[in-house]
Amino acid sequence: MSFMKKPAVRHPKLPVNDLGLTVRDYEGGMSTLCAGCGHDSITRALVEAAFKLSIPTHRFAKLSGIGCSSKTPAYFLRDSHGMNSTHGRMPSVATGANSANRDLYYIGVSGDGDSLSIGMGQFAHVMRRNLNMLYVIENNGVYGLTKGQFSAAADVGSTSKKGDANQQPPIDPCQAAITLGASFVARSFSGDKDQLVPLLMAGLQHRGFAMIDVISPCVTFNDHEGSTKSYEYTREHYHPAIMADFVPPAEEIMAKYNEGEAIPVKLHDGGTIVLRKLDKDYDPTDRISAITNLMRSQAAKEITTGLLYIDESQPEMHEVNNTTKIPLRDLPYGKVCPGNDVLQKLQARYR
Ligand SMILES: Cc1ncc(C[n+]2csc(CCOP(=O)(O)OP(=O)(O)O)c2C)c(N)n1
Ligand code: SF4
Ligand SMILES: [Mg+2]
């Protein structure tokens, strides 16, 4: 975690959002990652997305596991709630926090090792529950923090910095997410802010589990020839299936209907995501074709990006469990809140 403060000096003409805040108000401490790390670009995209949505910073809770990626919540939203948890265990901490207080915007930041290697079990179950959160995987195909071992996202034949080739098949987080119950699944690239920022905004406004897999090259251990997660490889094999543009509730979107190949999808919070089709057959509401498309692009060694799957109708965890709409801290103790004995009995059912 970084405790280095950024200089307080601000340009007097920085634009402000609906709350009168500038983008600097959404930043965090100074990054201690390697210069050029893709994770820092994702941090900047998250700052911009939160700023553009004009959400007060105290309404966010940032959660992460362990890894270079999991350090990044220290670099954005300094005035938000947050917890850097243990390796691969962020989903259960997020589930607990969201159960107690559903009134916050939850941002989970994880790595491919954190989610797909040690944390695969937790990752699977948080999607099955359709927990209401934005979950970002900063995917570089390696364990960056521990010096470049292959993660479960490494492609067959991809080489390490030392030259060894990976032999085990990769886990594709997008295929896993669509199969296991996530209701918003997207893929992007840390170097494509124009695509990533609207996806993050839409993911934050989505009711349910929004998983965004962001290819994020590790310049120190996985940006060489032979890597399939390098800047060069990603740029060469990049294929947007669909372009997503987020339109906040206050903006008129009628003009965008007329441009031809655009479908507006109304999000729960009142915003709209406008999907512009590039592949004429691509329909992100069709689960089976979304999986087929991903398998086809994997076989063709293409990286398909954009919003891959969305289901706005799927109930999220609180709706399934019919839990109170009021955060637990606001329930009057002894009247509406049944107290500690009932909580102990309830928790015993989950052991
Ligand atoms: C229980 C446990 N096992 C192993 C480790 C060592 N460890 C720390 S970070 C990490 C991998 C991180 O990889 P990833 O999630 O892909 O993050 P990146 O650093 O690549 O962003 C490992 C194996 C640990 N901290 N805790
Ligand atoms: S080791 Fe890799 S993932 Fe970690 S900060 Fe450096 S470039 Fe980023
Ligand atoms: Mg990694």
Side-chain angles (χ1 to χ4, degrees), residues 186-232:
R187 175 171 282 141
S188 192
F189 172 41
S190 61
D192 186 355
K193 202 171 75 146
D194 291 349
Q195 184 191 54
L196 182 55
V197 173
L199 284 175
L200 292 168
M201 291 169 77
L204 277 166
Q205 299 293 89
H206 175 72
R207 185 197 75 240
F209 195 81
M211 200 285 294
I212 310 187
D213 176 41
V214 189
I215 307 299
S216 175
C218 168
V219 284
T220 304
F221 297 109
N222 208 14
D223 194 32
H224 47 83
E225 209 184 319
S227 157
T228 57
K229 298 275 192 288
S230 64
Y231 279 109
E232 198 179 335

Side-chain angles (χ1 to χ4, degrees), residues 12-167:
K13 291 200 177 138
L14 272 183
V16 291
N17 64 11
D18 292 349
L19 302 174
L21 300 173
T22 72
V23 75
R24 296 289 314 270
D25 295 308
Y26 289 81
E27 292 177 348
M30 197 86 91
S31 171
T32 55
L33 302 186
C34 309
C37 177
H39 299 352
D40 278 337
S41 309
I42 302 172
T43 295
R44 281 196 293 278
L46 277 163
V47 167
E48 194 174 322
F51 163 75
K52 284 188 165 165
L53 285 171
S54 294
I55 300 170
T57 50
H58 68 274
R59 299 271 326 277
F60 288 97
K62 314 167 287 184
L63 304 153
S64 62
I66 298 289
C68 298
S69 34
S70 293
K71 285 168 72 177
T72 64
Y75 315 142
F76 59 88
L77 291 169
R78 85 176 75 74
D79 296 329
S80 305
H81 310 274
M83 181 166 167
N84 184 206
S85 72
T86 53
H87 200 19
R89 270 60 180 173
M90 177 262 281
S92 50
V93 176
T95 306
N98 193 315
S99 304
N101 187 350
R102 60 193 287 176
D103 209 16
L104 296 171
Y105 289 87
Y106 288 91
I107 302 179
V109 180
S110 182
D112 43 309
D114 194 64
S115 284
L116 307 176
S117 298
I118 194 170
M120 188 62 196
Q122 296 234 342
F123 180 55
H125 286 281
V126 75
M127 293 193 283
R128 227 181 114 236
R129 293 194 174 114
N130 200 22
L131 189 75
N132 189 13
M133 73 181 296
L134 169 66
Y135 192 103
V136 179
I137 299 186
E138 304 193 341
N139 189 347
N140 51 21
V142 291
Y143 301 164
L145 189 73
T146 51
K147 305 205 182 309
Q149 302 87 344
F150 289 126
S151 78
D155 290 308
V156 174
S158 178
T159 56
S160 69
K161 202 173 179 181
K162 281 189 186 159
D164 306 328
N166 174 50
Q167 316 220 357

Side-chain angles (χ1 to χ4, degrees), residues 1-5 29-30 32 74-75:
M1 286 283 164
S2 171
F3 299 100
M4 274 191 281
K5 281 197 174 160
M30 197 86 91
T32 55
Y75 315 142

